[in-house]
Amino acid sequence: MAKQLTSRKENYSQWYNDLVVKADLAENSAVRGSMVIKPYGYAIWEKMQSVLDTMFKETGHQNAYFPLFIPKSFFSKEASHVEGFAKECAVVTHYRLKNDKDGNIVVDEDAKLEEELIVRPTSETIIWDTYRKWIQSYRDLPVLVNQWANVVRWEMRTRLFLRTAEFLWQEGHTAHSTEAEALEEAEKMVGVYADFAEQFMGVPVLQGIKSPNERFAGAIETYCIEALMQDGKALQAGTSHFLGQNFAKAFDVKYVTRENKQEYVWATSWGVSTRLIGALIMAHSDDNGLVLPPKIAPIQVVIVPIFKGKEQLELISEKVDGIVKELKARNISVKFDDRDTHKPGFKFAEWELKGVPVRLAIGPRDIENGTVEVARRDTLEKESLQITNIGEKIDNLLVQIQDNIFQKALSYREDNTYNVDTWDEFKSRVEKGGFVRAHWDGTSETEKLIKDKTKATIRVIPIDEPLEEGKCIFTGNSSKQRVVFAKSY
RNA sequence: CGGGGUAUGGCCCAGUCCGGUUAAGGCGCCUGCUUUGGGAGCAGGAGACCGCAAGUUCGAAUCUUGCUACCCCGACCA
């Protein structure tokens, strides 16, 4: 079995690609830039979906579904929105194929659509066209809707999970009667994302707003969570947009106030995608494979029997049955790997590659002593534990692992966050990776120049942070606050 | 869209410069026996219109021309 990974040190992006493929998460498909998400990878997405979906429902949202296809004319209604997405839209122009005289399948030119359809890169336009019909009065507000969907963005260069031509995500779209309420919603949802990233994925994130250059096409303000990967590059893990009345005006969505006045509706939208799986991988995993936090791991505990012959396996299986019941009673997902086609060593390596947080091994010696060997994925430590009360012990261990994974990522981020005050230092620091906190004069021009010279962009402008007088790292103009620069994915 | 590269069993690849008849090897797969506390060993076996199309030649994976696909680097991006 040649499942050796490239090491992170040797080639970080090769390591990432190897890992995604070898851990059976996803693979490239016949269509350039589009991936097949394999069952194990999809199981991780399902865990994420289920937690997020619950969080959305708890904050008052409902799921709905809007169409994949968007009439081209909808797109032109919001100027900056078109500008942002026009270059990466897939377009449907025909609706029929036929056989030509050589028997080849060709597009039937007679079946041209009257109006071309855009495959959604995001759904603001079709949703706001719909909301016009839904919203008449202040009594219809707020509208708090989310959808789980696929979207298509025809990217030049793609990478499994991090950037694919088609990806899965959720997009929340809300409509409010006041600016304050919409702002509150946008902030609330970025907070939900931050909680999810930190408490479930174990990925610490910076929360804040985007600079105008990085803002969503059509938004007044973009809130985001930003995580730091092990190679020192930043990854935008989730965004929440305050859209003001831009879409309401573009799609003429007005409501009547209590005072019987016509007003435009205030909007937000927010989303996270399968890119989170990329974040999860790059935040925690090591040269042995994936490291999954227990709260997101499809399998939390794997049990590997060590046996010679059928009788021994049966004996061990009996013991394992008890353990499985005990773990399941505590809602721990457990897999008993009783394949007789592979040796224990092979299984150890394979489950490590797949990031299962806890592995139990039971052999004849354990049966004799009433013990089980417990190995944790995050630290690779092994110890022998008495089987008595094993459910509770594992439960506690999973909590510890979840916490340890987060703490480790947090201290990595702290060790790789720098305050920098001179341009020379800025250049060399950015080159080495990490979050670089520096003063910026607040202009787009300066941000662009910095990007051209260093490839670093402003990842996030922190909110809820004390202001600090300073001088822009590039122009020397005055600045009231440090912003976070980094090279990013 | 610019620049560079690659295309050979499921995967990784040798062979291509200098054409020669069973296209080599490793991984994986199948069968059997022995193994099983950190990626097993031995024996046997299956599996390839050498990216596609023309051409040169007695003979093409190898030479020529055209095409296609994919990868890497840049511009663009959740």
Side-chain angles (χ1 to χ4, degrees), chain A residues 325-382:
Chain A
K325 277 195 192 113
E326 213 180 316
L327 294 179
K328 280 191 174 162
R330 290 172 176 272
N331 264 323
I332 296 170
S333 61
V334 50
K335 178 172 180 70
F336 178 34
D337 184 359
D338 61 352
R339 289 175 295 175
D340 61 1
T341 49
H342 295 276
K343 292 181 61 175
F346 177 96
K347 295 178 184 176
F348 291 176
E350 185 174 51
W351 293 116
E352 257 162 36
L353 182 62
K354 292 194 161 194
V356 174
V358 173
R359 181 187 71 231
L360 305 182
I362 306 185
R365 286 208 302 265
D366 295 296
I367 299 287
E368 226 168 273
N369 302 331
T371 57
V372 57
E373 184 192 82
V374 181
R376 49 190 283 191
R377 179 63 186 88
D378 60 334
T379 60
L380 297 170
E381 289 164 346
K382 288 193 278 200

Side-chain angles (χ1 to χ4, degrees), chain A residues 142-213:
Chain A
V143 175
L144 303 173
V145 166
N146 174 65
Q147 84 164 338
W148 290 96
N150 59 337
V151 287
V152 168
R153 295 181 188 175
W154 214 262
E155 300 288 352
M156 294 287 143
R157 299 193 57 194
T158 59
R159 293 194 67 193
L160 294 168
F161 289 116
L162 297 175
R163 174 164 297 110
T164 47
E166 178 188 1
F167 57 92
L168 305 183
W169 77 345
Q170 58 69 217
E171 47 182 325
H173 294 272
T174 67
H176 307 265
S177 52
T178 66
E179 177 176 21
E181 192 184 300
L183 268 169
E184 189 193 330
E185 166 80 5
E187 282 170 23
K188 181 200 288 172
M189 295 321 286
V190 79
V192 165
Y193 290 154
D195 282 351
F196 174 72
E198 299 197 334
Q199 288 168 30
F200 290 85
M201 292 172 58
V203 176
V205 292
L206 295 181
Q207 233 185 110
I209 58 174
K210 284 292 189 191
S211 64
N213 289 358

Side-chain angles (χ1 to χ4, degrees), chain A residues 162-377:
Chain A
L162 297 175
R163 174 164 297 110
T164 47
E166 178 188 1
F167 57 92
L168 305 183
W169 77 345
Q170 58 69 217
E171 47 182 325
H173 294 272
T174 67
H176 307 265
S177 52
T178 66
E179 177 176 21
E181 192 184 300
L183 268 169
E184 189 193 330
E185 166 80 5
E187 282 170 23
K188 181 200 288 172
M189 295 321 286
V190 79
V192 165
Y193 290 154
D195 282 351
F196 174 72
E198 299 197 334
Q199 288 168 30
F200 290 85
M201 292 172 58
V203 176
V205 292
L206 295 181
Q207 233 185 110
I209 58 174
K210 284 292 189 191
S211 64
N213 289 358
E214 300 285 323
R215 205 176 275 156
F216 176 75
I220 305 282
E221 193 81 273
T222 288
Y223 298 82
C224 67
I225 54 171
E226 203 76 21
L228 188 62
M229 303 294 101
Q230 292 181 66
D231 61 347
K233 284 168 85 174
L235 184 86
Q236 178 174 308
T239 50
S240 176
H241 314 291
F242 168 63
L243 302 172
Q245 294 174 312
N246 288 351
F247 284 91
K249 285 177 178 163
F251 287 89
D252 194 33
V253 186
K254 290 186 217 165
Y255 73 101
V256 178
T257 64
R258 284 168 202 268
E259 294 79 30
N260 197 27
K261 277 199 280 189
Q262 293 278 333
E263 298 278 359
Y264 284 112
V265 170
W266 298 85
T268 81
S269 69
W270 29 273
V272 293
S273 72
T274 36
R275 179 180 244 203
L276 286 178
I277 296 175
L280 192 67
I281 297 166
M282 288 200 292
H284 305 312
S285 300
D286 62 24
D287 291 347
N288 294 314
L290 280 182
V291 174
L292 295 176
K295 287 185 185 174
I296 293 297
I299 299 168
Q300 294 170 310
V301 177
V302 65
I303 305 177
V304 176
I306 291 149
F307 61 96
K308 286 182 203 175
K310 238 182 176 166
E311 294 99 64
Q312 229 176 49
L313 176 59
E314 274 168 28
L315 200 73
I316 292 168
S317 296
E318 259 175 56
K319 201 79 185 172
V320 169
D321 280 347
I323 300 176
V324 168
K325 277 195 192 113
E326 213 180 316
L327 294 179
K328 280 191 174 162
R330 290 172 176 272
N331 264 323
I332 296 170
S333 61
V334 50
K335 178 172 180 70
F336 178 34
D337 184 359
D338 61 352
R339 289 175 295 175
D340 61 1
T341 49
H342 295 276
K343 292 181 61 175
F346 177 96
K347 295 178 184 176
F348 291 176
E350 185 174 51
W351 293 116
E352 257 162 36
L353 182 62
K354 292 194 161 194
V356 174
V358 173
R359 181 187 71 231
L360 305 182
I362 306 185
R365 286 208 302 265
D366 295 296
I367 299 287
E368 226 168 273
N369 302 331
T371 57
V372 57
E373 184 192 82
V374 181
R376 49 190 283 191
R377 179 63 186 88

